[in-house]
Amino acid sequence: MSEQHIATAFDRDLEAIQARIMKMGGLVEAAISDSARSLETRDEELAEQVRAGDAAIDGLEELINEETARLIALRAPTAVDLRVVLSVMKISGNLERIGDYSKNIAKRTGVLTQLRPVNSSTAALRRMAREVELMLKDALDAYIQRDPELARDVIGRDHEVDQMYNALFREFLTFMMEDPRNITACMHLHFIAKNIERMGDHVTGIAEQVVYLVTGERPDEARSKADTTSSSVVEG
Amino acid sequence: MSEQHIATAFDRDLEAIQARIMKMGGLVEAAISDSARSLETRDEELAEQVRAGDAAIDGLEELINEETARLIALRAPTAVDLRVVLSVMKISGNLERIGDYSKNIAKRTGVLTQLRPVNSSTAALRRMAREVELMLKDALDAYIQRDPELARDVIGRDHEVDQMYNALFREFLTFMMEDPRNITACMHLHFIAKNIERMGDHVTGIAEQVVYLVTGERPDEARSKADTTSSSVVEG
C-alpha cells in the first residue's frame, strides 16, 4: 500500500517534469525554425526575438535541473526510475545547447544583412535547419512514447544533415576562392552551417538517451561521424 | 551509529568517483596540450595519438555516469551530498566535450600538414590552448579543494581566451583576403581557434559548478559572452 503510494507520487512528479521538457522542446523547435527563417528573409526583428527568447529556454533547463534533483532527493528512485530521471537531465541539457546554437545563428543574421547575399546559401541552410527541427520533433515523440525504433530512425537521419554540411563547406570554400569579397559572409555562413550540424548531434544525443532508456543499449558506440570536412583539402 | 556508517560509505564511494574525475582531467589536459603541439610541429604521429586516446576519455565518462547512478541508487544522498554527485556528472560531461574538441583539432593536423603554413598562426593557437589547459588545471584544483575564489578566477580568465579568439578571427580573414591560396588552411585554422574557445567555455562550466557547489550561487547568470565575432564585419 505504502509502496503503491510512493510509486504514484514519483510518477506524478516525473510527469510534471516531462511536461516541462515538452514545453522546452516546443520553444527550441521554434527557435531553430525562426533563426533559419530570419537568416533567409533578412528579418532582423525575428532574429532579435530568437536572441531574446533564449532566456526562457535557459530558465526551463534550470528549473528542470532543480526539480529532478528534488525528485531524486525526495523519492529516492532506483533502477529504471533513476535511469528515467537522469535521462531527463541529459535531454534538457541537449535542448539548452540547441537553443544556444539557434541564438548564435540569430546573432549572425544582423551581420549578414549588412553584407551582399551569397548565392542561394541561406535557402540551403534553411532546408538543413528544417531537417534538424523535424528530427527533434521525432526524438521528443520517441521519448514520450518510449519508442526505440523512432529514436533509431532519428539517429540514422543525422547522417543526411552531416552530408548537407559537407556539401555546404565545399560550396563556401569555392565561393570564397572565386571572389574574395565573399570571404566575410562565407565565414559567417559556414559557422551557421556548423552550428546546425552540431544541433543535429545534440538531437542524436536525445534519441540515444531514448534507446538507452528503453533497451538498456548504448547506440552511441556505433554512431558514425560523418563530418568529413576535417580532412577536406580544396586547393586554392 | 548507523547514520555514521552510511555517511562514510557515501564518502568512500564519492572519493573513488572523484579519483576517476582527476584521472579523466589529466588525460584531457594532455589531449589539449598534445593536439596544439602536434599542430605547431606538424607531428602527425602525435596527432594520431590524440585521436586514438579519446576513447579512454569517453570510457571514463561512461564509467563515471554508471558509478554516480549507482551511488544515487544505493546511498540515496540528499541536499549537499546530492548536489556534489550531480555536479560530478556535469563536470565529467564537460571534460568529455573538451576531449572531443582536442580530437577534432588533431584530425585537422593531418590536413594542415598538406597545405603551406600560414604565418605564425599555429604558435598563437598553441598559446591559446596553453591558457585553456592552465584554466582547466585550476578549475579541477578548485573542485578538489572546494575553493570558490580560485573557481571565480578561472571564470574571469575565459575572457582572455575569448579576446585571443577574436584577434585570430580577424587575422584569418585578413590572410584569406590577402591571398586566396590561404583560404583552405585558414578555414581549418579558424575552426581550431573556435574549438579552443569552446573548450574555454566548458572549463568555465566546470568552474561554475564549483562555485555553485560551495556557495549555492549560480555565477553563469553574469557570465559575459565575449566572442564578438558574430557581429564582426570585415569588408572584403
Side-chain angles (χ1 to χ4, degrees), chain B residues 152-202:
Chain B
R152 282 201 191 91
D153 180 61
V154 170
I155 295 168
R157 276 147 65 194
D158 191 42
H159 190 69
E160 286 160 43
V161 174
D162 290 343
Q163 302 288 10
M164 289 164 114
Y165 167 72
N166 292 340
L168 276 168
F169 178 81
R170 281 188 295 271
E171 208 171 289
F172 292 141
L173 280 181
T174 309
F175 289 153
M176 288 194 279
M177 285 169 191
E178 277 171 8
D179 187 345
R181 285 173 301 171
N182 286 329
I183 287 176
T184 303
C186 281
M187 285 283 273
H188 288 292
L189 289 167
H190 176 227
F191 246 126
I192 290 172
K194 189 68 193 173
N195 280 346
I196 301 174
E197 189 262 343
R198 288 231 167 91
M199 285 181 186
D201 290 344
H202 283 281

Side-chain angles (χ1 to χ4, degrees), chain B residues 68-182:
Chain B
T68 46
R70 201 180 307 136
L71 180 61
I72 293 171
L74 268 179
R75 313 288 178 206
T78 56
V80 179
D81 285 347
L82 181 59
R83 211 154 73 186
V84 175
V85 177
L86 295 177
S87 73
V88 163
M89 292 184 84
K90 297 218 181 236
I91 289 171
S92 79
N94 280 312
L95 287 173
E96 190 271 334
R97 296 300 304 268
I98 299 170
D100 258 9
Y101 286 125
S102 303
K103 187 175 74 174
N104 283 340
I105 291 171
K107 274 190 195 166
R108 287 178 202 276
T109 291
V111 191
L112 283 160
T113 52
Q114 297 169 55
L115 301 165
R116 59 175 199 160
V118 179
N119 246 338
S120 56
S121 312
T122 56
L125 287 168
R126 206 215 355 100
R127 279 194 298 277
M128 198 176 156
R130 175 75 183 145
E131 178 58 26
V132 171
E133 187 196 339
L134 292 174
M135 281 167 62
L136 176 57
K137 196 190 154 296
D138 287 345
L140 293 174
D141 280 353
Y143 173 71
I144 286 299
Q145 292 157 24
R146 303 285 191 266
D147 181 344
E149 280 320 301
L150 183 55
R152 282 201 191 91
D153 180 61
V154 170
I155 295 168
R157 276 147 65 194
D158 191 42
H159 190 69
E160 286 160 43
V161 174
D162 290 343
Q163 302 288 10
M164 289 164 114
Y165 167 72
N166 292 340
L168 276 168
F169 178 81
R170 281 188 295 271
E171 208 171 289
F172 292 141
L173 280 181
T174 309
F175 289 153
M176 288 194 279
M177 285 169 191
E178 277 171 8
D179 187 345
R181 285 173 301 171
N182 286 329

Side-chain angles (χ1 to χ4, degrees), chain A residues 77-113:
Chain A
T78 56
V80 178
D81 285 348
L82 181 59
R83 211 154 74 183
V84 176
V85 176
L86 295 177
S87 73
V88 162
M89 292 183 84
K90 297 218 182 237
I91 289 171
S92 81
N94 279 312
L95 287 173
E96 190 270 335
R97 296 300 303 270
I98 299 171
D100 258 9
Y101 285 125
S102 304
K103 187 176 73 172
N104 283 340
I105 292 172
K107 273 190 194 167
R108 286 178 203 276
T109 291
V111 190
L112 283 160
T113 53

Side-chain angles (χ1 to χ4, degrees), chain A:
Chain A
M1 188 65 189
S2 152
E3 184 82 13
Q4 182 63 32
H5 174 72
I6 289 168
T8 308
F10 173 81
D11 289 344
R12 200 179 51 226
D13 290 354
L14 181 65
E15 248 172 56
I17 295 173
Q18 286 187 158
R20 283 205 207 284
I21 287 273
M22 289 302 116
K23 186 176 169 188
M24 199 178 166
L27 292 179
V28 171
E29 280 172 34
I32 298 172
S33 152
D34 289 348
S35 65
R37 198 152 48 88
S38 75
L39 180 71
E40 192 181 17
T41 59
R42 300 185 153 233
D43 183 341
E44 294 195 44
E45 206 173 310
L46 185 59
E48 174 52 34
Q49 278 176 32
V50 174
R51 288 198 290 274
D54 192 51
I57 295 170
D58 290 350
L60 274 170
E61 192 213 5
E62 202 159 309
L63 210 57
I64 289 167
N65 271 338
E66 281 166 19
E67 288 177 346
T68 45
R70 201 180 306 134
L71 179 61
I72 293 171
L74 268 179
R75 312 288 179 207
T78 56
V80 178
D81 285 348
L82 181 59
R83 211 154 74 183
V84 176
V85 176
L86 295 177
S87 73
V88 162
M89 292 183 84
K90 297 218 182 237
I91 289 171
S92 81
N94 279 312
L95 287 173
E96 190 270 335
R97 296 300 303 270
I98 299 171
D100 258 9
Y101 285 125
S102 304
K103 187 176 73 172
N104 283 340
I105 292 172
K107 273 190 194 167
R108 286 178 203 276
T109 291
V111 190
L112 283 160
T113 53
Q114 297 169 56
L115 300 165
R116 59 175 200 157
V118 179
N119 246 336
S120 55
S121 313
T122 56
L125 288 168
R126 205 212 359 95
R127 279 193 298 277
M128 197 177 158
R130 175 75 183 144
E131 178 58 25
V132 170
E133 187 196 339
L134 292 174
M135 281 168 62
L136 176 57
K137 196 187 155 297
D138 286 346
L140 293 173
D141 280 353
Y143 174 71
I144 285 301
Q145 293 157 24
R146 302 286 190 266
D147 180 345
E149 281 320 301
L150 184 55
R152 282 202 191 91
D153 179 62
V154 170
I155 295 168
R157 276 148 65 194
D158 192 40
H159 191 69
E160 286 160 43
V161 174
D162 290 342
Q163 303 287 11
M164 290 165 113
Y165 166 73
N166 292 340
L168 277 168
F169 178 81
R170 281 188 294 270
E171 205 171 289
F172 292 141
L173 279 181
T174 309
F175 289 153
M176 288 194 279
M177 285 169 190
E178 277 171 8
D179 187 346
R181 283 173 302 171
N182 286 329
I183 287 176
T184 303
C186 281
M187 286 282 273
H188 288 292
L189 288 168
H190 175 226
F191 247 126
I192 290 172
K194 189 69 193 172
N195 281 346
I196 300 173
E197 189 262 343
R198 288 231 167 90
M199 285 180 185
D201 290 343
H202 283 282
V203 174
T204 302
I206 294 173
E208 284 172 352
Q209 283 298 320
V210 175
V211 175
Y212 175 61
L213 194 59
V214 184
T215 69
E217 286 166 44
R218 291 217 172 269
D220 52 327
E221 292 300 298
R223 193 203 314 188
S224 64
K225 277 291 177 189
D227 168 4
T228 59
T229 62
S230 60
S231 50
S232 286
V233 182
V234 178
E235 292 297 341

